[in-house]
Amino acid sequence: MGTTQKIECEMQRIISIIIQRELKDESVKLVTITGIKLLSDLSKATVYYTVMGQIAKKEAVNRSLNNAKGFIKSSMAKKMNIRRIPDLVFEFDKALEYGNKIDEILNNLKK
């Protein structure tokens, strides 16, 4: 596992903890961080997430995560041993929706 992958894994773990334990916004409590993709120069990290429950809440959760971005970065800075915390970009992970859609299609084919 390369250095970038180690940082991505550590960031995923830490951001998940911050969201679950430190954020006061209840709308993000059902968020699961599914992955992190860092640019090679570590300047930007795309944080992929899913939301349990209603998909209609995606926009509200995205707004809440973006509003908490500064707090998340400052909390990460205290917990991670890297020189510079990358800028965070939150993006809904569509892989789960895509997988569910494929399952539904396959189930319909069996009928």
Side-chain angles (χ1 to χ4, degrees), residues 15 18-19 23 28 44-45 47 61-77 85-91:
I15 291 173
I18 292 168
I19 288 173
L23 288 183
V28 297
K44 179 177 148 185
V47 181
V61 168
N62 196 310
R63 258 192 315 278
S64 295
L65 288 172
N66 282 303
N67 289 340
K69 192 184 299 190
F71 176 79
I72 293 170
K73 278 184 70 169
S74 65
S75 292
M76 283 175 54
I85 300 297
D87 291 328
L88 303 177
V89 176
F90 292 97
E91 191 170 309

